[in-house]
Amino acid sequence: MRRPRVMSVAAQEQGGKWRIAVLGRELEADRDRLAAALDAPAEQEVELIFYDADQLPRAILDLLAARLERGGLLKIVAYHVLLARSLMRLSLPVRHIAPQPARAAATRCRALALCGSAESLDKILHLAGHLPLADVAVFVLQHVDENQQNLLDQLLKTRTDYLVVMPQQLMPVKPGTIYVAPPGYHMKVAHGLVYLTRDRKVQYSRPSIDLLLESMAYEYGEAALAVLLCGYGCDGVDGCAALRAAGASVLVEDGAECGDARVMPDAVNAAGHADHVLALAPLTSVVAATVAGPEAAPEGKLLNLFLDALAQQYGHDFRHYQRASLQRRIQLLMGQCGHAGFDQFQRALLSDAALFERLEAELPVGVTSFFRHPAQLRQLREDVLPYLASFPLIKLWSAGCSSGEEAYSLAILLEELGLLERSHLFATDMNPYLLDQAKSGLFPAGALALNRSQYQASGGEGSFDDYLAPRRRFLEIVPRLCQKVLFHRHSLTGDGSFNEFQLIVCRNVLIYFDVELQRQVLQRFARSLHVDGFLVLGPQDGLNLVALEQGFVPHPGGNYVYRRAEGHHA
C-alpha cells in the first residue's frame, strides 16, 4: 500500500552553491533536471535535499555516484529515515534530519461511552469484552424499544470483569463499573452521579446519545472517550460535537461494516466530529489501549489486539511473529515518532499508511551477505545442484531474500556450474524496501573483503570480483546476473504456493516466527517442492524437529539441507 507518487524539483544557486529541493516520491520524471544540476563543476558544492522520497531509483543513484567518482562536491539531506538508511548502506554522504514530533501530554482516560442503535449489540459486547480492567467509568447506551425487556446488562456480565449495573437515579459513579442506560430513561452524568430522567425524546430516542455525551463533555472534558457504532438517525452528532469542543476524543465505526445501519456513524463523520473512523478490530485495539492508560506497553492482550487491527486494516498478518522482537521494534518506532503512549501510536499508525509502511519495513531484521553460511553453499555446489542438473529446467526459490545477496549468490553458483541459462531463479520478500535494494543490484563496498572470503570458502572457482561491474563508490552486480533473478513481493505468512521448485532456500527467516507459523510455512514449502527437490534452512533457525514433523528428512552431509520423506504427501 504505497502513497501516490508526485515529484517536483526546485534548483537554486546561492553563494556559489547549488541547493536542490526534491519534493514527492516519484523521481524518474525529473531525472534530466537532476542530472543537469549534478553536472555542476566539481568544485561547486551541490546540496540535494529529499523531503519525501523513501527510496531512490537506480538511475538517480548512478547520478549521485558519478558526481562523487569524478571528485564533485555533494551533500545529501534526507528527511525520510528509510532513504537515509539506504544511502548510508551504500556509503553515500547523507545526513538524516528527523522531524521532531510534538510530544503532547498524555491524558488519562477517565470515562468511556459505547453508544449505538440498530446492529450495534454485538459490537458493544465485543468492545466491552476486550476492555482491560482500569480506573475508568464506562457508560453503555443502546437505542432499544422501551417497552421491551433490556438484557444488555446481563449479557455484559458474562463478558467482562467490570462491575455491570443498570443504575438508579443519583447512583454514584465509580471507576471499574459499566453503567447501562435503562430503557425509556435518559442517562446523564454530573457531579459524580448518574441522573435518570423521563424528559421528552431527543432525535426520537430515549435514552439519548446526545444527552449522555454532552453531559460527559462537561463532567470529564478531555479525559472522556466516546465510541459511536452502527445505527439509524442523527442521535450522537451534537453530543460528539460537544465532546470534541471539550478536547475529548470521538471514535466512529466504519459505516462499511454497518450495512444499512450506517446512517448514524456516517452522520457524525460527515459533520466532522470524528477523530478516527475505524473498522471493529482497529476500534477495539485503540479503545483498549486508551483505557489501559498512557503507560501501557505493546504486550500481552494489547499487542494481540493491535496485531488483529493491523491484519484487518492493512491485510498484513504479524500475529505469529516472535513477540519479544515485535515489542522491541514497536517500542523503538514509538520513541522515534514521539508518541506518548501506545494508544497515540496506534491512532497515528491506523490512520497513516506511510507510518505503517515504515513499521512494515523495520520489522524484518534483514541481516545477510553474499555466500553467507559458505559450508551450505559448498554442499549445494558439489552435491545438490549437480543432482538437479538432470532436470531440463531448474526452478529455484530464495524465500525471504532480504536485499538480494543470497539470490545473487545462487545465480553465481548456477553460472559456474553452467546451469544458469536453464534455470528460473525466483527471489521473494514481503519488504518492498529491501526488494527495491535487491533489484538495484547495488551493495556496500565495505563488505567486499567478507564477500570475497565467503565466496572462496563456498568453493568458488574464480574471483568474486568477476561478478562485479567496476565501481569505486559501491559494488554493482553485473547485468547478466541481475537479469536472471526474478524478484517478487510475497509473504510467507499470508500468500500461498506459486510454483513447484527443485530447490527452496529459506535461511534465518523462520527464526522470527512462532512454532505454529513455522509449521504452516514448512507445509507451504512441502506443497511447493518437487518430489525430488531440496529444502535449505538456516543453521540458526533451530527447525530440525519441526522439519521432521512436516515430512522432511536431513540430506546426507548435514548443513540443514532437507528432502521430502519417501511416501510423504504434502
Side-chain angles (χ1 to χ4, degrees):
M1 183 181 296
R2 307 295 288 271
R3 291 173 290 172
R5 295 177 176 262
V6 294
M7 168 68 175
S8 177
V9 174
Q12 187 177 23
E13 189 174 13
Q14 295 178 334
K17 180 177 77 171
W18 276 104
R19 190 173 186 272
I20 307 168
V22 183
L23 303 175
R25 301 174 74 189
E26 178 56 73
L27 311 186
E28 293 284 7
D30 285 285
R31 180 186 179 279
D32 291 342
R33 295 182 64 189
L34 284 174
L38 290 168
D39 199 34
E43 65 277 5
Q44 187 175 27
E45 182 178 303
V46 174
E47 183 180 39
L48 192 56
I49 306 170
F50 295 99
Y51 286 97
D52 306 300
D54 49 16
Q55 285 277 20
L56 297 185
R58 170 65 182 272
I60 304 300
L61 292 172
D62 285 340
L63 291 176
L64 302 179
R67 176 167 182 81
L68 291 168
E69 287 171 0
R70 63 174 180 266
L73 296 176
L74 176 64
K75 291 183 178 180
I76 305 171
V77 176
Y79 278 80
H80 200 297
V81 64
L82 295 177
L83 176 60
R85 289 178 185 173
S86 67
L87 297 181
M88 291 175 187
R89 169 180 173 266
L90 297 176
S91 301
L92 291 169
V94 60
R95 179 166 62 96
H96 176 228
I97 296 182
Q100 296 300 317
R103 288 183 175 267
T107 300
R108 182 175 296 280
C109 179
R110 295 174 50 218
L112 166 68
L114 303 178
C115 305
S117 182
E119 307 298 332
S120 66
L121 176 60
D122 290 343
K123 315 292 180 66
I124 291 173
L125 295 175
H126 177 84
L127 285 162
H130 287 89
L131 290 178
L133 192 58
D135 290 336
V136 175
V138 182
F139 301 92
V140 174
L141 191 155
Q142 186 190 26
H143 291 162
V144 293
D145 188 335
E146 59 187 75
N147 296 317
Q148 293 183 353
Q149 185 180 12
N150 188 345
L151 299 177
L152 181 54
D153 58 331
Q154 301 302 315
L155 293 172
L156 285 169
K157 288 178 181 179
T158 66
R159 288 168 167 81
T160 179
D161 292 327
Y162 281 71
L163 175 65
V164 180
V165 298
M166 194 168 284
Q168 302 295 319
Q169 169 74 340
L170 300 181
M171 176 178 282
V173 175
K174 296 181 179 180
T177 304
I178 295 178
Y179 299 89
V180 181
Y185 288 86
H186 294 307
M187 182 172 69
K188 297 181 283 188
V189 57
H191 312 297
L193 301 173
V194 175
Y195 287 78
L196 302 176
T197 71
R198 289 282 295 175
D199 296 340
R200 64 180 178 81
K201 293 182 178 181
V202 176
Q203 295 287 348
Y204 309 101
S205 300
R206 189 172 58 218
S208 163
I209 297 174
D210 278 334
L211 292 183
L212 171 63
L213 298 188
E214 287 168 357
S215 71
M216 289 178 62
Y218 288 112
E219 181 77 359
Y220 297 104
E222 64 180 10
L225 170 66
V227 178
L228 202 71
L229 302 164
C230 302
Y232 296 103
C234 295
D235 191 20
V237 173
D238 292 341
C240 289
L243 282 171
R244 292 288 300 283
S249 294
V250 174
L251 305 179
V252 172
E253 185 178 9
D254 188 345
E257 288 192 333
C258 297
D260 293 336
R262 63 182 299 165
V263 179
M264 193 162 66
D266 284 354
V268 173
N269 186 34
H273 301 325
D275 288 282
H276 302 282
V277 178
L278 299 168
L280 184 60
L283 196 61
T284 305
S285 183
V286 171
V287 171
T290 303
V291 168
E295 71 284 350
E299 60 188 20
K301 293 181 180 179
L302 291 182
L303 180 57
N304 292 340
L305 291 174
F306 178 57
L307 299 180
D308 289 342
L310 293 184
Q312 181 172 15
Q313 183 86 356
Y314 294 113
H316 291 266
D317 194 345
F318 302 113
R319 286 174 287 197
H320 292 286
Y321 276 58
Q322 282 195 354
R323 294 309 169 89
S325 177
L326 278 173
Q327 289 172 216
R328 286 194 301 270
R329 292 173 185 279
I330 291 171
Q331 288 177 315
L332 178 62
L333 187 54
M334 283 173 55
Q336 292 172 348
C337 295
H339 294 292
F342 189 33
D343 62 322
Q344 287 190 9
F345 174 72
Q346 288 195 44
R347 294 187 193 203
L349 187 138
L350 292 168
S351 58
D352 182 359
L355 183 57
F356 172 74
E357 287 180 5
R358 179 171 172 186
L359 174 66
E360 181 188 27
E362 297 198 8
L363 284 179
V365 176
V367 176
T368 186
S369 62
F370 285 94
F371 294 92
R372 191 180 185 196
H373 307 312
Q376 273 191 329
L377 295 180
R378 178 181 283 273
Q379 185 171 3
L380 294 185
R381 180 193 298 274
E382 297 176 352
D383 178 16
V384 173
L385 289 175
Y387 174 84
L388 296 180
S390 60
F391 287 86
L393 176 65
I394 307 172
K395 287 176 287 187
L396 307 90
W397 180 13
S398 172
C401 67
S402 187
S403 48
E405 286 90 337
E406 177 180 273
Y408 289 121
S409 299
L410 292 172
I412 291 172
L413 287 182
L414 292 168
E415 177 161 285
E416 293 188 347
L417 293 171
L419 301 175
L420 186 59
E421 291 303 316
R422 55 187 181 96
S423 298
H424 287 174
L425 176 51
F426 296 86
T428 65
D429 203 281
M430 68 169 291
N431 188 326
Y433 298 95
L434 291 177
L435 283 175
D436 284 346
Q437 293 177 8
K439 291 175 185 177
S440 75
L442 302 178
F443 299 91
L448 182 57
L450 175 64
N451 297 335
R452 286 169 172 164
S453 66
Q454 292 188 158
Y455 167 78
Q456 293 297 329
S458 74
E461 299 177 352
S463 168
F464 178 75
D465 298 50
D466 295 338
Y467 304 100
L468 303 175
R471 273 191 182 275
R472 295 182 309 185
R473 178 60 50 177
F474 35 68
L475 308 182
E476 177 183 349
I477 296 297
V478 291
R480 71 178 185 276
L481 291 183
C482 291
Q483 294 165 4
K484 288 296 184 179
V485 184
L486 304 174
F487 289 101
H488 296 283
R489 190 174 184 183
H490 178 277
S491 170
L492 292 175
T493 65
D495 297 329
S497 305
F498 63 94
N499 212 320
E500 183 181 65
F501 300 93
Q502 283 81 33
L503 176 63
I504 299 175
V505 180
C506 183
R507 305 189 298 172
N508 307 321
V509 176
L510 304 187
I511 189 175
Y512 300 105
F513 300 165
D514 66 17
V515 174
E516 179 56 34
L517 187 55
Q518 289 172 348
R519 290 192 180 102
Q520 293 176 19
V521 175
L522 287 173
Q523 289 169 8
R524 187 164 297 143
F525 287 157
R527 292 192 296 269
S528 304
L529 193 64
H530 188 279
V531 65
D532 290 321
F534 296 82
L535 171 67
V536 180
L537 300 175
Q540 298 170 355
D541 288 338
L543 292 175
N544 191 57
L545 290 178
V546 182
L548 292 174
E549 289 176 5
Q550 302 308 313
F552 291 100
V553 295
H555 183 61
N559 290 316
Y560 305 94
V561 178
Y562 297 86
R563 303 192 69 176
R564 282 170 54 177
E566 186 175 349
H568 179 81
H569 300 285

